[in-house]
Amino acid sequence: MASGTQILTTPMPSPAPRPRRPKGRKMVRWFDPRVLAQAGVRSLISTTIGKQADRRLLDALAAPKVEPSDFSVDEAGQPREELWFDYVADLGDGWDSTYAVASTVSRPTLTLRDETGKAYETRGGELLIFGGDEVYPEASVQEYEERTFTPWAAAMKNQRPAPHVFAVPGNHDWYDGLVSFMRLFCQGRSPAGWRMHQRRSYFAVKLPHGWWLIGTDMQLESDLDEPQVRYFQEVAKLMGEEDRIILCLAEPAWLVGQVRAPTGRAYLENNLDFLQEHVFGKKVSVFLTGDLHHYRRHANAEGRQKIIAGGGGAFLHPTHVPKKEAALSDGFTARETFPKPEQSRRLGWRALNFVGHTPSFGIFMGLLYLLLAWMQVADLRDGTTMTWELPRVLGAALINPGVVLLSVLLVLGLIGFADARFGKARWVAGVLHGCAHLAASLFVFWGAFALTGTFLPLGSVPQELLGAGLVFLGGFLVGPTLLGLYLVLSMNGFGAHANEAFSALAIPDWKNFLRLRIDRDGALWLYPVGLRRVPRSWKPGETAREPEWVSDDKDATPPTLIEPPIVMYAGAAPPA
């Protein structure tokens, strides 16, 4: 080798380190001002679109043929002796909760124990039914991809063959006029590797041993459109006299009116009555729905079931509201909830730490309190000095046009925010809530500047700057706390604002889904699966049999049965 010759080598790039935690989306913060504004606009647009142009009518024209999917036979055309399938509703929110449910559903086998310790061996379903609200906070291809498909694809990696997926649209799926839902679920695509079959926003699936699975589309508290009615009437003609139906709905028509404002809810009950009485008769044995994000089961003496299983990933809803349920039709009575009402009530008190759950709302309230203070400063000047006696501060507020106008707008806004379940007392709740904020802002303003005036010259720049900072801090802490107190008192005392109180908490735990099995004898088994606490941290799967991510949280709890399996029989009155 010649003297001075250098050999240049290119170093081999080192492999990129595997990420130590998934880059998933966090739970939706529903009281974030930006989310509130976007949700309000989306809701207004979707409602307007739904009234002017019903997407279901166009889809019926594009797919006029009534062809139920037949899973009563296998791929070779032979009758199935048994079939496993899973029902998951209200998913596509935060990564931890959505992925925890998805990874549990995706396991090839799952051993479940009830509260007595008895174990049940279950298998992952060949069918996967999404029961509504497949994404939050609004429907878009990007939101579906990031909040739903990505965690589910990661959970199913290396687990078992991709399931056949059917989906019921909920109100959040309708927020873009159902455009994204139809594009992703009803056009033969394969998001997350799933096998899709439906061509409309509603569907019918023939199951073994005389069972049927029916999914409906109620389109934002609307009525059943005529093509959907004709579709189900044609499906009903294919059913035998002893066949039985599992009916999937987007909302629990039998209970939602007791939890939320009754306006427009009569449509839901009328739709349900119409399907039972004029389309399917008394063939419906099981009603499945989500929308309320917890588990709640009702049953009657004949053994028919009404089950809410909306625990697929979205924030928890309370189960202690309503405090005393009104009697349901056909003798249905409450049998089980998850969590228990007393646990739900304890969780609700977390709303007092409102600012800890949604700091951005605290920033908004801090700026509001600061704006009210800024409007009054000029009225408190007396020549070159400032006076901070409380009566003078109150008087300045009452004669300032800007303060009065902003105060009126605040009170009117909170009257509009008040839950319609207050009835005629809605305006009283709004006025009291608004006056509480106005009084708090006044005392925060007075206290901040009176305090700083004890050690800084009154009216000086340092005093005004420090006072303004304290006013903002006071609004940041006091404003959200007052809102949290209002929500807790309304929920626990009057059964109002249950959705707002728990959406603010964004609790990722207490998730649930249903695992179903039709056995060789034609019996339908329903296994209600609960996840008390979902993992908060994850690590990459290390073996070929593990999904992409596995739990790395020692405090997470394993899946268990919420209650023992419910068993029903086709062609006979099942036990309660």
Side-chain angles (χ1 to χ4, degrees):
M1 182 179 297
S3 176
T5 301
Q6 294 182 343
I7 299 178
L8 300 179
T9 59
T10 302
M12 294 294 293
S14 58
R18 296 186 70 182
R20 295 310 303 170
R21 64 171 291 106
K23 296 180 179 179
R25 300 287 292 275
K26 295 181 179 180
M27 297 286 286
V28 176
R29 299 297 177 180
W30 289 100
F31 278 82
D32 182 295
R34 181 179 59 86
V35 173
L36 281 174
Q38 290 178 345
V41 172
R42 287 288 188 181
S43 179
L44 178 62
I45 293 174
S46 62
T47 302
T48 303
I49 292 176
K51 290 180 179 179
Q52 304 300 325
D54 194 334
R55 176 63 187 261
R56 299 172 299 179
L57 304 180
L58 301 177
D59 296 327
L61 294 175
K65 204 170 183 181
V66 178
E67 291 184 320
S69 297
D70 191 355
F71 283 85
S72 65
V73 297
D74 59 23
E75 294 180 357
Q78 299 299 314
R80 294 178 186 268
E81 294 186 346
E82 67 174 350
L83 180 69
W84 291 85
F85 53 107
D86 295 301
Y87 176 91
V88 184
D90 299 285
L91 56 154
D93 195 340
W95 170 275
D96 291 338
S97 54
T98 299
Y99 185 79
V101 173
S103 59
T104 305
V105 171
S106 300
R107 296 182 194 177
T109 60
L110 190 62
T111 301
L112 300 167
R113 297 183 181 275
D114 62 20
E115 59 184 10
T116 68
K118 184 177 180 180
Y120 299 85
E121 296 295 329
T122 69
R123 295 211 315 259
E126 189 172 340
L127 275 66
L128 176 58
I129 314 302
F130 288 145
D133 285 343
E134 277 72 66
V135 73
Y136 291 88
E138 59 192 38
S140 71
V141 172
Q142 181 179 355
E143 293 286 3
Y144 278 113
E145 179 65 32
E146 295 181 359
R147 293 188 179 272
T148 305
F149 301 150
T150 295
W152 273 86
M156 289 189 165
K157 183 180 180 181
N158 302 327
Q159 294 301 287
R160 55 187 175 88
H164 302 271
V165 172
F166 295 86
V168 174
N171 60 304
H172 288 270
D173 300 296
W174 264 99
Y175 276 4
D176 69 342
L178 211 64
V179 172
S180 299
F181 178 94
M182 292 300 299
R183 177 181 176 185
L184 296 169
F185 289 97
C186 303
Q187 294 184 3
R189 300 172 186 265
S190 299
W194 298 325
R195 291 175 281 181
M196 317 296 289
H197 298 271
Q198 70 189 91
R199 292 296 179 267
R200 308 181 190 214
S201 56
Y202 43 92
F203 57 84
V205 183
K206 187 178 182 181
L207 304 174
H209 302 295
W211 285 97
W212 290 77
L213 184 70
I214 302 295
T216 64
D217 179 6
M218 300 302 187
Q219 195 251 32
L220 292 172
E221 301 177 15
S222 184
D223 56 355
L224 284 168
D225 56 295
E226 185 178 354
Q228 187 173 179
V229 171
R230 290 202 305 266
Y231 176 90
F232 289 135
Q233 287 173 336
E234 292 299 315
V235 170
K237 294 177 182 178
L238 304 175
M239 297 179 181
E241 185 65 27
E242 298 297 321
D243 287 1
R244 292 293 178 262
I245 295 172
I246 304 166
L247 183 63
C248 300
L249 306 163
E251 290 188 350
W254 57 90
L255 189 71
V256 70
Q258 298 184 45
V259 178
R260 296 182 186 162
T263 305
R265 300 291 171 180
Y267 272 120
L268 296 175
E269 296 182 15
N270 293 340
N271 286 333
L272 193 57
D273 293 340
F274 182 83
L275 285 173
Q276 292 186 85
E277 297 174 9
H278 301 290
V279 180
F280 298 126
K282 293 295 183 179
K283 296 180 184 295
V284 181
S285 294
V286 184
F287 301 83
L288 294 183
T289 186
D291 188 63
L292 297 181
H293 308 162
H294 56 236
Y295 175 84
R296 191 189 299 252
R297 180 173 70 91
H298 292 78
N300 66 4
E302 299 175 356
R304 300 171 75 199
Q305 308 290 328
K306 291 184 175 180
I307 300 176
I308 301 170
F315 66 88
L316 176 69
H317 269 136
T319 58
H320 68 283
V321 177
K323 291 189 294 185
K324 185 176 182 181
E325 297 177 21
L328 303 184
S329 60
D330 297 331
F332 282 86
T333 58
R335 302 302 176 92
E336 187 59 78
T337 62
F338 180 75
K340 301 288 188 184
E342 58 271 18
Q343 295 168 321
S344 170
R345 182 179 293 274
R346 286 197 297 269
L347 291 170
W349 286 100
R350 295 183 185 181
L352 293 179
N353 184 27
F354 197 102
V355 70
H357 298 290
T358 313
S360 58
F361 186 79
I363 294 174
F364 171 78
M365 294 303 295
L367 292 175
L368 177 63
Y369 278 37
L370 189 59
L371 178 60
L372 287 168
W374 174 75
M375 290 179 175
Q376 300 176 60
V377 168
D379 297 326
L380 296 174
R381 290 190 181 277
D382 186 9
T384 59
T385 63
M386 302 284 288
T387 56
W388 294 105
E389 294 84 2
L390 185 58
R392 177 71 183 274
V393 174
L394 177 60
L398 293 176
I399 63 172
N400 187 296
V403 173
V404 172
L405 177 61
L406 187 57
S407 299
V408 170
L409 292 176
L410 175 63
V411 171
L412 290 177
L414 291 177
I415 291 175
F417 172 73
D419 198 324
R421 294 198 59 79
F422 282 119
K424 295 180 180 179
R426 181 178 181 181
W427 69 272
V428 177
V431 168
L432 291 177
H433 188 194
C435 288
H437 279 290
L438 293 174
S441 68
L442 180 70
F443 277 98
V444 166
F445 172 47
W446 169 72
F449 281 84
L451 175 63
T452 55
T454 61
F455 55 88
L456 290 173
L458 289 174
S460 65
V461 172
Q463 191 229 357
E464 292 191 2
L465 289 177
L466 182 57
L470 292 178
V471 168
F472 175 81
L473 179 61
F476 177 85
L477 297 174
V478 175
T481 302
L482 279 178
L483 176 58
L485 179 61
Y486 165 79
L487 293 176
V488 170
L489 294 178
S490 298
M491 176 175 58
N492 292 342
F494 303 94
H497 285 297
N499 182 65
E500 290 80 8
F502 269 67
S503 65
L505 299 178
I507 297 173
D509 302 315
W510 304 95
K511 299 302 101 183
N512 68 80
F513 66 93
L514 289 177
R515 174 149 289 177
L516 302 97
R517 173 198 177 197
I518 300 174
D519 68 16
R520 296 171 183 267
D521 298 323
L524 175 66
W525 294 67
L526 299 96
Y527 302 85
V529 184
L531 294 169
R532 166 63 183 82
R533 187 186 190 281
V534 304
R536 303 298 200 272
S537 60
W538 307 86
K539 61 183 179 181
E542 297 177 352
T543 70
R545 294 186 177 182
E546 291 182 322
E548 186 171 340
W549 298 95
V550 295
S551 173
D552 191 29
D553 185 347
K554 62 180 179 61
D555 294 324
T557 56
T560 59
L561 282 175
I562 296 172
E563 59 177 328
I566 302 103
V567 187
M568 309 183 67
Y569 301 88

